[in-house]
Every structure is written in C-alpha cells, then in structure tokens.
C-alpha cells in the first residue's frame, strides 16, 4: 500500500514568490493534516481536513497561506508571497479517523532566499 | 505556550545502553500519548503510544512509562543500537478530534 505522497521534495524560491505543495494521502484516509516543521523543532499543525472540510485552520496564517482539498482526496498548500521565515519542512499526514494514527509523508523542504 | 515539554534536546548513548527521553504536559485533558521517530529526510513515524489507563507499555525494546499524577511520560529504549539514531518526538492530544501537539524533539545518537 502506498504511503502519503508529497511533492515537490525540495523547493528553493526568492522571497515574495509564490509556492505550492501537493499531498496525496493514503487511500481511504478521510482526515488530512498539514504540519510545518522548523529546523530542530517538532511539527506544528497548520490545518486539518475532514474529507473536504477544513475543521481546524486556526494556526494557518491566512494572509499568505491557503489550502484546499476539493474532492476530499489530495490537497494543496499554497504560500503567496513567501517570506524568509517560511523556510521549513511542510509535512502532510493522513489518518483513517479523527483519533487514529497519523501517517506522515516525507515532507517538502522549502528554502526562501 | 508549549503544551508538551521534552528533554533532553540531544542524547548520546553507547551501543547496548539505555536511552531515556522525558516529556511533561500541562493539559489534563490529554489522554493519548504517542512517540514518533524521525530519520533525516523522512517524515515522523509512530513508534509506540499509551493511554493513561496503564502506567507502562512495552513493545520490543521500546517502553513508555506514564505517571499521570506527575503529568509526565518517558520513552525507554533498551539495548540501544546505532540504527536507533534518530530524532524522537513525544506528542499528546485529548481523545477525539483534536490533532496532536508535539514536543520539540530529542536527537539520539547511539555510538558503537
């Protein structure tokens, strides 16, 4: 069974440029999470989806970050415009149910110059 | 406000030794406590988890000890091996639909 797939694995951009990350969760997993992991830190939740509904986006900086999960399967996280402080690894995770085990993808490492 | 405090930040253990990582929490609503293991360039993966109805859970060389009154839990890795070298994160959440809150991580190095 395929795990959580994320792309791109690495992205280097100039500040003020836009960037997008894509995530395909494990088949059948209704709950999808986007976490941000700064260097030397633990993952911090950005947004959580139940199917196509964002049920927890309180930590998402909505002035520059947006996310969507249109058909309740794959998801896209966008940053526009990117700032230097956005350099981090963006992790996508999915679970079969709200209180189930989280399965993480390998992450998308963003470097903003 | 950090809801889960993890220590130490880094740990060096001899091969065959015991690795111990500690976490403390404040929120008494937390009732699910997993540990995640992360290798460089990979996402975190669930290692072992415990609920507060038991004080200890063991899976192979990995044991979680839980102290509800002290609001602390720890991970013990017995017979530590070089392949255990990774970053370990404790986490916690109230049972239900609240997502995990992670500690800052412990970088473990097991040397031969």
């Amino acid at each position: 069974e395929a795990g959580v797939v994320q792309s791109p694995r690495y992205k280097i951009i100039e500040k003020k440029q836009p960037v997008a990350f894509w995530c395909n969760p494990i088949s059948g997993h209704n709950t999808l999470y986007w976490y941000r992991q700064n260097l030397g830190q633990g993952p911090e939740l950005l947004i959580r989806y139940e199917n196509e509904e964002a049920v927890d986006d309180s930590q998402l900086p909505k002035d520059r970050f947006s996310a969507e999960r249109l058909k309740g399967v794959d998801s896209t996280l966008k940053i526009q415009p990117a700032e230097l402080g956005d350099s981090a690894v963006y992790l996508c995770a999915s679970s079969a149910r709200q209180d189930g085990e989280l399965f993480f993808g390998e992450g998308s490492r963003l470097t903003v110059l | 406000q950090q809801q889960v405090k993890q220590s130490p930040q880094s740990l060096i253990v001899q091969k065959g030794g015991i690795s111990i990582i500690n976490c403390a929490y404040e929120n008494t609503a937390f009732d699910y406590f997993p540990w995640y293991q992360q290798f460089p360039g990979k996402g975190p993966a669930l290692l072992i988890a415990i609920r507060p109805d038991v004080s200890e859970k063991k899976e192979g060389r990995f044991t979680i000890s839980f102290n509800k009154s002290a609001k602390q839990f720890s991970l013990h890795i017995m017979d530590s091996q070089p392949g255990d070298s990774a970053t370990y994160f404790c986490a916690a959440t109230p049972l239900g639909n609240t997502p995990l809150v992670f500690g800052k991580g412990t970088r473990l190095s097991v040397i031969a």
Side-chain angles (χ1 to χ4, degrees):
Chain A
E1 180 181 345
V4 176
V5 178
Q6 292 188 245
S7 68
R9 288 294 316 278
Y10 305 93
K11 188 75 175 180
I12 300 174
I13 60 173
E14 299 279 340
K15 64 180 180 181
K16 300 185 181 180
Q17 293 300 305
V19 64
F21 304 111
W22 176 80
C23 171
N24 191 36
I26 293 174
S27 177
H29 281 194
N30 296 326
T31 308
L32 183 146
Y33 309 77
W34 283 103
Y35 280 85
R36 177 167 60 188
Q37 186 175 24
N38 292 310
L39 186 64
Q41 302 292 314
E44 296 178 330
L45 181 73
L46 291 174
I47 190 168
R48 175 169 64 100
Y49 282 93
E50 292 298 331
N51 298 303
E52 65 274 11
E53 181 183 1
V55 296
D56 186 349
D57 63 354
S58 58
Q59 301 303 313
L60 189 72
K62 298 181 182 64
D63 56 336
R64 299 184 299 106
F65 286 65
S66 65
E68 60 183 14
R69 192 185 185 197
L70 293 176
K71 296 184 178 180
V73 180
D74 58 346
S75 176
T76 302
L77 177 70
K78 298 179 181 178
I79 308 174
Q80 182 172 7
E83 296 179 353
L84 295 177
D86 297 331
S87 295
V89 176
Y90 291 84
L91 292 163
C92 180
S94 69
S95 63
R97 60 182 191 276
Q98 293 178 7
D99 61 348
E101 175 184 349
L102 264 63
F103 293 85
F104 283 88
E106 293 191 322
S108 295
R109 180 179 295 275
L110 173 65
T111 300
V112 182
L113 302 176
Chain B
Q1 178 183 2
Q2 187 182 358
Q3 297 193 53
V4 180
K5 294 185 178 180
Q6 184 172 346
S7 63
Q9 186 173 1
S10 62
L11 183 61
I12 299 175
V13 174
Q14 292 276 352
K15 179 182 175 181
I18 302 174
S19 304
I20 302 174
I21 304 170
N22 301 299
C23 278
Y25 64 97
E26 292 293 328
N27 189 342
T28 55
F30 288 157
D31 56 7
Y32 174 64
F33 304 90
W35 285 89
Y36 279 77
Q37 180 188 55
Q38 185 176 31
F39 293 104
K42 302 294 185 181
L46 179 65
L47 186 63
I48 186 172
I50 197 169
R51 297 199 189 276
D53 52 341
V54 296
S55 60
E56 185 176 282
K57 183 174 181 180
K58 183 177 182 179
E59 292 184 359
R61 296 184 295 110
F62 301 91
T63 300
I64 298 179
S65 297
F66 184 80
N67 185 330
K68 188 173 182 178
S69 61
K71 292 186 285 186
Q72 296 175 346
F73 59 110
S74 60
L75 175 69
H76 295 234
I77 306 174
M78 310 300 289
D79 187 26
S80 299
Q81 298 297 312
D84 297 329
S85 297
T87 300
Y88 293 81
F89 295 96
C90 61
T93 187
L95 185 61
N97 62 2
T98 303
L100 287 171
V101 176
F102 286 85
K104 290 190 174 183
T106 296
R107 178 174 289 185
L108 172 65
S109 298
V110 181
I111 57 175

Short mmCIF file of all heavy atoms in Angstrom, two decimals, chain B residues 20-70:
data_model
loop_
_atom_site.label_atom_id
_atom_site.label_comp_id
_atom_site.label_asym_id
_atom_site.label_seq_id
_atom_site.Cartn_x
_atom_site.Cartn_y
_atom_site.Cartn_z
N ILE B 20 16.90 7.22 27.51
CA ILE B 20 15.70 7.69 28.22
C ILE B 20 15.38 9.11 27.80
O ILE B 20 16.24 10.00 27.90
CB ILE B 20 15.88 7.62 29.75
CG1 ILE B 20 16.22 6.19 30.19
CG2 ILE B 20 14.62 8.11 30.46
CD1 ILE B 20 16.55 6.06 31.66
N ILE B 21 14.17 9.31 27.34
CA ILE B 21 13.71 10.63 26.92
C ILE B 21 12.43 10.94 27.69
O ILE B 21 11.56 10.09 27.84
CB ILE B 21 13.42 10.66 25.40
CG1 ILE B 21 14.66 10.22 24.62
CG2 ILE B 21 12.99 12.06 24.97
CD1 ILE B 21 14.40 10.00 23.13
N ASN B 22 12.35 12.17 28.19
CA ASN B 22 11.25 12.54 29.07
C ASN B 22 10.36 13.62 28.47
O ASN B 22 10.84 14.48 27.74
CB ASN B 22 11.81 13.05 30.40
CG ASN B 22 12.66 12.01 31.09
OD1 ASN B 22 12.19 10.93 31.44
ND2 ASN B 22 13.93 12.32 31.27
N CYS B 23 9.09 13.56 28.81
CA CYS B 23 8.15 14.59 28.41
C CYS B 23 7.22 14.94 29.55
O CYS B 23 6.87 14.07 30.36
CB CYS B 23 7.34 14.16 27.19
SG CYS B 23 8.22 14.41 25.65
N ALA B 24 6.83 16.21 29.61
CA ALA B 24 5.90 16.68 30.62
C ALA B 24 4.80 17.48 29.93
O ALA B 24 5.06 18.14 28.92
CB ALA B 24 6.61 17.53 31.64
N TYR B 25 3.60 17.41 30.47
CA TYR B 25 2.48 18.13 29.87
C TYR B 25 1.69 18.84 30.96
O TYR B 25 1.81 18.52 32.14
CB TYR B 25 1.59 17.18 29.07
CG TYR B 25 0.91 16.11 29.91
CD1 TYR B 25 -0.39 16.26 30.36
CD2 TYR B 25 1.59 14.93 30.25
CE1 TYR B 25 -1.01 15.29 31.12
CE2 TYR B 25 0.98 13.95 31.02
CZ TYR B 25 -0.32 14.13 31.45
OH TYR B 25 -0.92 13.17 32.22
N GLU B 26 0.90 19.82 30.55
CA GLU B 26 0.10 20.59 31.49
C GLU B 26 -1.40 20.30 31.36
O GLU B 26 -2.12 20.33 32.35
CB GLU B 26 0.35 22.09 31.28
CG GLU B 26 1.74 22.54 31.68
CD GLU B 26 1.97 22.44 33.17
OE1 GLU B 26 1.00 22.61 33.93
OE2 GLU B 26 3.11 22.16 33.59
N ASN B 27 -1.83 20.05 30.14
CA ASN B 27 -3.25 19.92 29.86
C ASN B 27 -3.78 18.57 30.36
O ASN B 27 -3.46 17.53 29.81
CB ASN B 27 -3.48 20.06 28.35
CG ASN B 27 -4.95 20.17 27.99
OD1 ASN B 27 -5.82 19.82 28.77
ND2 ASN B 27 -5.22 20.64 26.79
N THR B 28 -4.59 18.60 31.40
CA THR B 28 -5.12 17.36 31.97
C THR B 28 -6.14 16.69 31.06
O THR B 28 -6.54 15.57 31.33
CB THR B 28 -5.75 17.63 33.35
OG1 THR B 28 -6.75 18.65 33.20
CG2 THR B 28 -4.70 18.10 34.34
N ALA B 29 -6.53 17.36 30.01
CA ALA B 29 -7.45 16.75 29.04
C ALA B 29 -6.72 15.80 28.09
O ALA B 29 -7.35 15.01 27.40
CB ALA B 29 -8.17 17.82 28.24
N PHE B 30 -5.40 15.89 28.05
CA PHE B 30 -4.64 14.98 27.20
C PHE B 30 -4.84 13.54 27.66
O PHE B 30 -4.69 13.23 28.85
CB PHE B 30 -3.15 15.30 27.23
CG PHE B 30 -2.77 16.55 26.49
CD1 PHE B 30 -1.59 17.21 26.82
CD2 PHE B 30 -3.55 17.06 25.48
CE1 PHE B 30 -1.23 18.38 26.15
CE2 PHE B 30 -3.18 18.21 24.80
CZ PHE B 30 -2.02 18.87 25.15
N ASP B 31 -5.14 12.65 26.74
CA ASP B 31 -5.29 11.25 27.13
C ASP B 31 -4.80 10.27 26.08
O ASP B 31 -5.19 9.10 26.06
CB ASP B 31 -6.74 10.93 27.52
CG ASP B 31 -7.71 11.27 26.41
OD1 ASP B 31 -7.26 11.61 25.31
OD2 ASP B 31 -8.92 11.19 26.65
N TYR B 32 -3.97 10.74 25.19
CA TYR B 32 -3.32 9.86 24.22
C TYR B 32 -1.92 10.40 24.03
O TYR B 32 -1.74 11.59 23.71
CB TYR B 32 -4.10 9.84 22.91
CG TYR B 32 -3.43 9.08 21.79
CD1 TYR B 32 -3.21 7.71 21.88
CD2 TYR B 32 -3.03 9.73 20.62
CE1 TYR B 32 -2.60 7.01 20.84
CE2 TYR B 32 -2.43 9.05 19.59
CZ TYR B 32 -2.21 7.69 19.70
OH TYR B 32 -1.62 7.00 18.68
N PHE B 33 -0.91 9.53 24.24
CA PHE B 33 0.48 9.97 24.29
C PHE B 33 1.34 9.07 23.40
O PHE B 33 1.81 8.02 23.81
CB PHE B 33 1.00 9.94 25.73
CG PHE B 33 0.17 10.74 26.68
CD1 PHE B 33 -0.90 10.16 27.37
CD2 PHE B 33 0.43 12.09 26.89
CE1 PHE B 33 -1.68 10.90 28.24
CE2 PHE B 33 -0.34 12.85 27.76
CZ PHE B 33 -1.40 12.24 28.44
N PRO B 34 1.56 9.49 22.15
CA PRO B 34 2.40 8.69 21.26
C PRO B 34 3.83 9.23 21.22
O PRO B 34 4.10 10.38 21.57
CB PRO B 34 1.73 8.90 19.90
CG PRO B 34 1.16 10.28 19.99
CD PRO B 34 0.80 10.51 21.45
N TRP B 35 4.71 8.36 20.80
CA TRP B 35 6.08 8.74 20.48
C TRP B 35 6.31 8.49 18.99
O TRP B 35 5.94 7.44 18.48
CB TRP B 35 7.08 7.93 21.30
CG TRP B 35 7.17 8.36 22.72
CD1 TRP B 35 6.41 7.90 23.76
CD2 TRP B 35 8.07 9.33 23.27
NE1 TRP B 35 6.77 8.53 24.93
CE2 TRP B 35 7.79 9.40 24.67
CE3 TRP B 35 9.07 10.13 22.74
CZ2 TRP B 35 8.49 10.26 25.52
CZ3 TRP B 35 9.76 10.97 23.59
CH2 TRP B 35 9.47 11.04 24.97
N TYR B 36 6.93 9.47 18.34
CA TYR B 36 7.24 9.36 16.93
C TYR B 36 8.76 9.36 16.74
O TYR B 36 9.49 10.03 17.48
CB TYR B 36 6.62 10.51 16.13
CG TYR B 36 5.16 10.30 15.81
CD1 TYR B 36 4.18 10.48 16.77
CD2 TYR B 36 4.76 9.89 14.53
CE1 TYR B 36 2.85 10.27 16.48
CE2 TYR B 36 3.43 9.69 14.23
CZ TYR B 36 2.48 9.88 15.21
OH TYR B 36 1.15 9.67 14.92
N GLN B 37 9.20 8.61 15.75
CA GLN B 37 10.61 8.51 15.39
C GLN B 37 10.80 9.12 14.01
O GLN B 37 10.02 8.82 13.09
CB GLN B 37 11.02 7.04 15.39
CG GLN B 37 12.46 6.75 15.03
CD GLN B 37 12.68 5.24 14.88
OE1 GLN B 37 11.99 4.58 14.11
NE2 GLN B 37 13.63 4.69 15.63
N GLN B 38 11.81 9.96 13.87
CA GLN B 38 12.05 10.59 12.58
C GLN B 38 13.51 10.46 12.18
O GLN B 38 14.40 10.91 12.91
CB GLN B 38 11.65 12.07 12.61
CG GLN B 38 11.75 12.76 11.25
CD GLN B 38 11.24 14.20 11.29
OE1 GLN B 38 11.33 14.88 12.31
NE2 GLN B 38 10.71 14.69 10.18
N PHE B 39 13.74 9.88 11.02
CA PHE B 39 15.08 9.80 10.44
C PHE B 39 15.28 11.00 9.51
O PHE B 39 14.31 11.54 8.97
CB PHE B 39 15.27 8.49 9.70
CG PHE B 39 15.27 7.28 10.61
CD1 PHE B 39 14.16 6.45 10.69
CD2 PHE B 39 16.38 6.98 11.38
CE1 PHE B 39 14.15 5.36 11.53
CE2 PHE B 39 16.38 5.88 12.23
CZ PHE B 39 15.25 5.07 12.31
N PRO B 40 16.54 11.40 9.29
CA PRO B 40 16.79 12.56 8.43
C PRO B 40 16.17 12.39 7.05
O PRO B 40 16.28 11.34 6.42
CB PRO B 40 18.32 12.59 8.35
CG PRO B 40 18.77 11.97 9.63
CD PRO B 40 17.76 10.88 9.91
N GLY B 41 15.48 13.42 6.62
CA GLY B 41 14.86 13.41 5.29
C GLY B 41 13.57 12.63 5.20
O GLY B 41 13.01 12.47 4.11
N LYS B 42 13.10 12.14 6.32
CA LYS B 42 11.85 11.37 6.34
C LYS B 42 10.83 12.04 7.24
O LYS B 42 11.15 12.90 8.06
CB LYS B 42 12.12 9.95 6.86
CG LYS B 42 13.15 9.17 6.06
CD LYS B 42 12.66 8.88 4.66
CE LYS B 42 13.64 8.00 3.93
NZ LYS B 42 13.19 7.73 2.52
N GLY B 43 9.58 11.65 7.07
CA GLY B 43 8.55 12.13 7.97
C GLY B 43 8.54 11.33 9.26
O GLY B 43 9.06 10.22 9.32
N PRO B 44 7.96 11.87 10.32
CA PRO B 44 7.85 11.12 11.58
C PRO B 44 7.00 9.86 11.38
O PRO B 44 6.05 9.86 10.59
CB PRO B 44 7.16 12.10 12.53
CG PRO B 44 7.35 13.45 11.92
CD PRO B 44 7.38 13.22 10.43
N ALA B 45 7.33 8.82 12.13
CA ALA B 45 6.58 7.57 12.08
C ALA B 45 6.26 7.14 13.51
O ALA B 45 7.11 7.24 14.39
CB ALA B 45 7.36 6.48 11.36
N LEU B 46 5.03 6.67 13.70
CA LEU B 46 4.62 6.25 15.03
C LEU B 46 5.47 5.08 15.51
O LEU B 46 5.65 4.09 14.82
CB LEU B 46 3.14 5.84 15.02
CG LEU B 46 2.58 5.34 16.36
CD1 LEU B 46 2.58 6.48 17.38
CD2 LEU B 46 1.16 4.79 16.17
N LEU B 47 5.99 5.22 16.74
CA LEU B 47 6.83 4.19 17.34
C LEU B 47 6.03 3.38 18.35
O LEU B 47 5.99 2.16 18.31
CB LEU B 47 8.03 4.86 18.01
CG LEU B 47 9.12 3.97 18.59
CD1 LEU B 47 9.79 3.16 17.50
CD2 LEU B 47 10.15 4.84 19.33
N ILE B 48 5.41 4.06 19.28
CA ILE B 48 4.66 3.42 20.35
C ILE B 48 3.77 4.49 20.99
O ILE B 48 4.10 5.67 20.96
CB ILE B 48 5.62 2.79 21.40
CG1 ILE B 48 4.88 1.98 22.46
CG2 ILE B 48 6.52 3.84 22.03
CD1 ILE B 48 5.81 1.19 23.39
N ALA B 49 2.63 4.07 21.54
CA ALA B 49 1.71 5.03 22.15
C ALA B 49 1.07 4.43 23.39
O ALA B 49 0.99 3.20 23.52
CB ALA B 49 0.64 5.45 21.15
N ILE B 50 0.60 5.31 24.26
CA ILE B 50 -0.02 4.86 25.51
C ILE B 50 -1.22 5.73 25.84
O ILE B 50 -1.26 6.92 25.47
CB ILE B 50 1.01 4.88 26.67
CG1 ILE B 50 0.53 4.05 27.86
CG2 ILE B 50 1.34 6.31 27.10
CD1 ILE B 50 1.62 3.82 28.91
N ARG B 51 -2.19 5.14 26.49
CA ARG B 51 -3.31 5.88 27.06
C ARG B 51 -3.17 5.83 28.57
O ARG B 51 -2.56 4.91 29.11
CB ARG B 51 -4.63 5.30 26.58
CG ARG B 51 -4.80 5.39 25.08
CD ARG B 51 -6.24 5.24 24.65
NE ARG B 51 -6.38 5.12 23.20
CZ ARG B 51 -6.42 6.15 22.37
NH1 ARG B 51 -6.33 7.36 22.84
NH2 ARG B 51 -6.56 5.96 21.07
N PRO B 52 -3.75 6.79 29.31
CA PRO B 52 -3.46 6.92 30.74
C PRO B 52 -4.08 5.87 31.63
O PRO B 52 -3.91 5.93 32.85
CB PRO B 52 -3.99 8.32 31.07
CG PRO B 52 -5.01 8.60 30.04
CD PRO B 52 -4.56 7.91 28.80
N ASP B 53 -4.76 4.87 31.07
CA ASP B 53 -5.32 3.83 31.91
C ASP B 53 -4.28 2.79 32.32
O ASP B 53 -4.55 1.93 33.15
CB ASP B 53 -6.51 3.16 31.23
CG ASP B 53 -6.18 2.68 29.83
OD1 ASP B 53 -5.19 3.16 29.25
OD2 ASP B 53 -6.90 1.81 29.31
N VAL B 54 -3.09 2.88 31.73
CA VAL B 54 -1.99 1.99 32.13
C VAL B 54 -0.76 2.84 32.44
O VAL B 54 -0.62 3.96 31.97
CB VAL B 54 -1.64 0.96 31.03
CG1 VAL B 54 -2.81 0.02 30.80
CG2 VAL B 54 -1.25 1.67 29.75
N SER B 55 0.14 2.30 33.26
CA SER B 55 1.33 3.07 33.65
C SER B 55 2.55 2.71 32.81
O SER B 55 3.56 3.40 32.87
CB SER B 55 1.64 2.81 35.13
OG SER B 55 1.88 1.43 35.35
N GLU B 56 2.45 1.63 32.06
CA GLU B 56 3.59 1.22 31.25
C GLU B 56 3.11 0.42 30.05
O GLU B 56 2.16 -0.35 30.14
CB GLU B 56 4.55 0.38 32.09
CG GLU B 56 5.84 0.01 31.39
CD GLU B 56 6.80 -0.73 32.31
OE1 GLU B 56 7.46 -0.07 33.13
OE2 GLU B 56 6.87 -1.97 32.20
N LYS B 57 3.81 0.61 28.93
CA LYS B 57 3.54 -0.18 27.74
C LYS B 57 4.87 -0.53 27.10
O LYS B 57 5.72 0.35 26.92
CB LYS B 57 2.66 0.58 26.75
CG LYS B 57 2.30 -0.24 25.52
CD LYS B 57 1.31 0.51 24.65
CE LYS B 57 0.92 -0.32 23.43
NZ LYS B 57 -0.05 0.40 22.57
N LYS B 58 5.02 -1.80 26.75
CA LYS B 58 6.29 -2.26 26.19
C LYS B 58 6.05 -2.90 24.84
O LYS B 58 5.14 -3.71 24.68
CB LYS B 58 6.93 -3.26 27.14
CG LYS B 58 8.28 -3.77 26.70
CD LYS B 58 8.88 -4.70 27.74
CE LYS B 58 10.26 -5.18 27.33
NZ LYS B 58 10.86 -6.08 28.34
N GLU B 59 6.89 -2.53 23.88
CA GLU B 59 6.87 -3.16 22.56
C GLU B 59 8.32 -3.40 22.15
O GLU B 59 9.03 -2.48 21.78
CB GLU B 59 6.15 -2.29 21.53
CG GLU B 59 4.66 -2.16 21.77
CD GLU B 59 3.93 -1.37 20.69
OE1 GLU B 59 4.58 -0.90 19.74
OE2 GLU B 59 2.70 -1.20 20.82
N GLY B 60 8.74 -4.64 22.28
CA GLY B 60 10.12 -4.98 21.95
C GLY B 60 11.09 -4.27 22.88
O GLY B 60 10.97 -4.35 24.10
N ARG B 61 12.02 -3.51 22.31
CA ARG B 61 12.99 -2.78 23.11
C ARG B 61 12.50 -1.42 23.59
O ARG B 61 13.21 -0.71 24.30
CB ARG B 61 14.27 -2.60 22.29
CG ARG B 61 14.97 -3.91 21.94
CD ARG B 61 16.29 -3.67 21.21
NE ARG B 61 16.11 -3.04 19.91
CZ ARG B 61 16.46 -1.79 19.64
NH1 ARG B 61 16.99 -1.01 20.56
NH2 ARG B 61 16.27 -1.30 18.42
N PHE B 62 11.29 -1.04 23.17
CA PHE B 62 10.77 0.28 23.48
C PHE B 62 9.69 0.20 24.56
O PHE B 62 8.77 -0.61 24.47
CB PHE B 62 10.19 0.92 22.22
CG PHE B 62 11.19 1.07 21.11
CD1 PHE B 62 11.35 0.07 20.16
CD2 PHE B 62 11.99 2.19 21.03
CE1 PHE B 62 12.28 0.19 19.14
CE2 PHE B 62 12.93 2.33 20.01
CZ PHE B 62 13.08 1.32 19.07
N THR B 63 9.81 1.05 25.58
CA THR B 63 8.85 1.08 26.68
C THR B 63 8.45 2.52 26.96
O THR B 63 9.30 3.41 27.00
CB THR B 63 9.45 0.47 27.96
OG1 THR B 63 9.81 -0.90 27.71
CG2 THR B 63 8.46 0.53 29.11
N ILE B 64 7.14 2.74 27.12
CA ILE B 64 6.65 4.03 27.62
C ILE B 64 6.29 3.85 29.09
O ILE B 64 5.54 2.92 29.43
CB ILE B 64 5.41 4.52 26.87
CG1 ILE B 64 5.69 4.74 25.39
CG2 ILE B 64 4.92 5.83 27.48
CD1 ILE B 64 4.46 5.21 24.61
N SER B 65 6.78 4.75 29.93
CA SER B 65 6.35 4.82 31.32
C SER B 65 5.52 6.08 31.49
O SER B 65 5.90 7.15 31.02
CB SER B 65 7.57 4.86 32.25
OG SER B 65 8.32 3.67 32.13
N PHE B 66 4.38 5.95 32.16
CA PHE B 66 3.44 7.05 32.28
C PHE B 66 3.13 7.32 33.74
O PHE B 66 2.79 6.39 34.48
CB PHE B 66 2.17 6.73 31.50
CG PHE B 66 1.17 7.84 31.48
CD1 PHE B 66 1.32 8.90 30.61
CD2 PHE B 66 0.07 7.82 32.32
CE1 PHE B 66 0.40 9.94 30.60
CE2 PHE B 66 -0.85 8.85 32.31
CZ PHE B 66 -0.68 9.91 31.43
N ASN B 67 3.25 8.58 34.16
CA ASN B 67 2.94 8.98 35.53
C ASN B 67 1.87 10.06 35.47
O ASN B 67 2.18 11.23 35.25
CB ASN B 67 4.21 9.49 36.23
CG ASN B 67 3.97 9.81 37.70
OD1 ASN B 67 2.87 10.19 38.11
ND2 ASN B 67 5.00 9.66 38.50
N LYS B 68 0.63 9.65 35.66
CA LYS B 68 -0.49 10.57 35.49
C LYS B 68 -0.47 11.68 36.53
O LYS B 68 -0.73 12.85 36.21
CB LYS B 68 -1.82 9.81 35.56
CG LYS B 68 -3.03 10.64 35.21
CD LYS B 68 -4.27 9.78 35.15
CE LYS B 68 -5.49 10.60 34.76
NZ LYS B 68 -6.72 9.76 34.65
N SER B 69 -0.15 11.36 37.77
CA SER B 69 -0.17 12.37 38.83
C SER B 69 0.89 13.45 38.59
O SER B 69 0.68 14.62 38.89
CB SER B 69 0.02 11.72 40.20
OG SER B 69 1.27 11.07 40.26
N ALA B 70 2.03 13.04 38.05
CA ALA B 70 3.11 13.99 37.78
C ALA B 70 2.96 14.63 36.40
O ALA B 70 3.73 15.53 36.06
CB ALA B 70 4.46 13.30 37.89
#
